[in-house]
Amino acid sequence: MSELHTTDAVVIGAGAVGLAISRALALRGLETFILEKNAYFGMETSSRNSEVIHAGIYYPKGSLKARLCVEGRRLLYDFCASHGVGHRRLGKLIVAGQTDQGAQIEKLLQAAADNGVTDLKRLSRAEIAALEPELSATEGLFSPSTGIVDSHQYMLALLGDAEGAGAHLVRGATVKSIARTGGGYRLTVGNEGETMSLECRILINSAGLWAQAVAGLIDGLDKAFVPPLFLAKGSYVTLAGRNPFRHLVYPVPEPGGLGVHLTLDMGGGARFGPNVEWLEGSDPAAIDYTVAPAAPELFAPLIARYWPAVSAAMLSPGYSGVRPKTVGPMDPNADFRIEGPQVHGLPGLVNLFGIESPGLTSSLAIAARVAELAA
Ligand SMILES: Cc1cc2nc3c(=O)[nH]c(=O)nc-3n(C[C@H](O)[C@H](O)[C@H](O)COP(=O)(O)OP(=O)(O)OC[C@H]3O[C@@H](n4cnc5c(N)ncnc54)[C@H](O)[C@@H]3O)c2cc1C
């Protein structure tokens, strides 16, 4: 059976970013359908991350990551407070383990200042010991505006707002084809054994790891506007037993990621990760999210650089997530790619590629930008 619905906007993907965009469009009075191929929202990268509200320290000056993280962080704290979403402004320590990392600390301070993050405090070895007695570090930084958020509660609240403003979430809905019509797009969608056709003026591709695959379905989109996809897996290990830390703890960053760091969850539990493991191939359907049984042995020496008391026996394999990268391991980190008609020439279409960290923190600011581009 085939039904035809006409709507103002369709958002493909119900992760944190897709839900934030749907909310923004619905609150602007646009009838919005959210299509999600899985049985529930937020089952992919949005529930496989560190749940850290980043301050905006690391990203190159003027980049989308820098601007949207700083803006998104403010919006996210306000949203969590006004919607009763679990979050805690714990603060984070960035620690240098070796004396020759002082230059990197200096660089981070400068990068943060360039991005408008002016609340970082430089810490001596003694000050670090006073905050977190079990840490070993030569010096470090304290970021008071870094925190954690319950990402599931956050997505539920976004969906609540979106549905309250008239948006419809269609679960188990896989987009099969996207044709152009005179005024926009016609999507063929498989849903519970049936086929549905949806016509819309505004089309948002917020499909995370699948954004390149979805873009490949869009009739008339020049392939030059679809970047390559590289997959970089990040695994976590969980700490069994007593957690001695009250703050998030990060080493100075490593290529491809922020280093194996300590994050705390809303219940006070501790996990370490993610590492950076570049996967073969670029098919998201082939991802194996299993964490290697040997992960505790691999992670323990990395963690021991800043927490000497750790041992592999205190750690168990946790969960993993995969970063949707648009550049490979040998290239410098790429920026978010949020591309509207000004870039690719197709009216009403916005593609989002490479929405890795800090995508969760930035989601409300990304949503505002996408709503503007689509209009
Ligand atoms: C290891 C790791 C750690 C991270 N840590 C942090 C952090 O601490 N702080 C932070 O700010 N960010 C972090 N991030 C980044 C953050 O998790 C992501 O930027 C964010 O979750 C991306 O959300 P999304 O909605 O774009 O993607 P997703 O959550 O992946 O959602 C995309 C959705 O699209 C759906 N979809 C795909 N194809 C189709 C289709 N054809 N039809 C219908 N639906 C489709 C998928 O099923 C999925 O639900 C981390 C990421 C990783 C991998």
Side-chain angles (χ1 to χ4, degrees):
M1 196 180 77
S2 179
E3 291 176 70
L4 175 67
H5 296 276
T6 302
T7 185
D8 295 317
V10 170
V11 176
I12 303 174
V17 174
L19 290 170
I21 295 167
S22 305
R23 170 182 179 269
L25 296 176
L27 289 176
R28 282 166 172 74
L30 298 166
E31 190 191 18
T32 302
F33 275 74
I34 315 163
L35 303 181
E36 171 52 56
K37 67 176 170 55
N38 293 329
Y40 299 99
F41 63 84
M43 290 177 72
E44 300 203 349
T45 311
S46 295
S47 54
R48 296 178 164 278
N49 58 64
S50 302
E51 297 188 296
V52 171
I53 303 178
H54 286 295
I57 300 168
Y58 306 98
Y59 317 106
K61 183 180 180 178
S63 63
L64 285 179
K65 284 184 177 172
R67 287 184 286 143
L68 298 175
C69 181
V70 171
E71 177 61 17
R73 184 236 303 159
R74 291 193 191 106
L75 294 171
L76 184 54
Y77 277 124
D78 288 351
F79 182 92
C80 289
S82 63
H83 289 69
V85 172
H87 68 290
R88 288 173 69 196
R89 206 185 279 252
L90 293 172
K92 126 172 150 180
L93 291 156
I94 305 173
V95 292
Q98 295 139 20
T99 35
D100 63 358
Q101 288 180 326
Q104 272 167 282
I105 292 279
E106 202 57 57
K107 263 168 95 178
L108 285 177
L109 261 179
Q110 185 57 51
D114 286 348
N115 293 343
V117 182
T118 51
D119 58 359
L120 292 191
K121 188 176 175 297
R122 213 168 171 149
L123 298 178
S124 65
R125 182 194 292 262
E127 286 169 319
I128 293 171
L131 285 173
E132 294 289 2
E134 297 215 9
L135 281 183
S136 157
T138 53
E139 61 177 310
L141 294 171
F142 183 65
S143 165
S145 53
T146 304
I148 54 171
V149 59
D150 180 324
S151 57
H152 188 79
Q153 278 185 20
Y154 172 53
M155 288 190 277
L156 202 56
L158 290 172
L159 179 61
D161 270 11
E163 288 185 331
H168 317 274
L169 170 64
V170 191
R171 297 179 288 137
T174 305
V175 179
K176 292 180 169 168
S177 69
I178 305 174
R180 299 221 33 215
T181 61
Y185 304 88
R186 183 184 300 123
L187 287 77
T188 313
V189 182
N191 184 217
E192 296 176 348
E194 303 204 340
T195 303
M196 180 172 84
S197 292
L198 260 179
E199 280 195 8
C200 59
R201 199 164 42 80
I202 291 172
L203 178 63
I204 313 298
N205 171 9
S206 183
L209 293 161
W210 309 79
Q212 278 84 345
V214 167
L217 297 175
I218 304 172
D219 190 25
L221 178 68
D222 189 329
K223 297 291 172 279
F225 301 113
V226 185
L229 174 66
F230 299 88
L231 304 173
K233 181 173 172 180
S235 296
Y236 295 84
V237 294
T238 53
L239 176 65
R242 192 184 72 87
N243 159 33
F245 299 105
R246 289 176 303 127
H247 304 90
L248 308 179
V249 179
Y250 283 56
V252 291
E254 63 175 61
L258 296 183
V260 170
H261 51 256
L262 161 74
T263 50
L264 305 174
D265 61 31
M266 291 298 297
R271 59 198 170 200
F272 293 91
N275 61 347
V276 182
E277 179 195 344
W278 291 88
L279 301 180
E280 293 286 327
S282 60
D283 179 6
I287 292 172
D288 178 0
Y289 285 106
T290 313
V291 175
E297 282 76 28
L298 291 174
F299 280 47
L302 303 175
I303 301 164
R305 289 180 193 162
Y306 53 89
W307 184 29
V310 75
S311 72
M314 296 155 78
L315 308 170
S316 342
Y319 63 95
S320 74
V322 173
R323 307 166 181 89
K325 301 251 181 205
T326 57
V327 292
M330 297 311 185
D331 300 308
N333 255 342
D335 202 1
F336 293 151
R337 286 184 59 170
I338 303 175
E339 299 180 344
Q342 300 82 345
V343 173
H344 52 63
L346 298 188
L349 172 69
V350 182
N351 283 316
L352 292 96
F353 300 111
I355 311 297
E356 54 168 337
S357 194
L360 183 64
T361 309
S362 310
S363 48
L364 290 166
I366 292 175
R369 182 176 177 89
V370 168
E372 262 173 45
L373 290 176

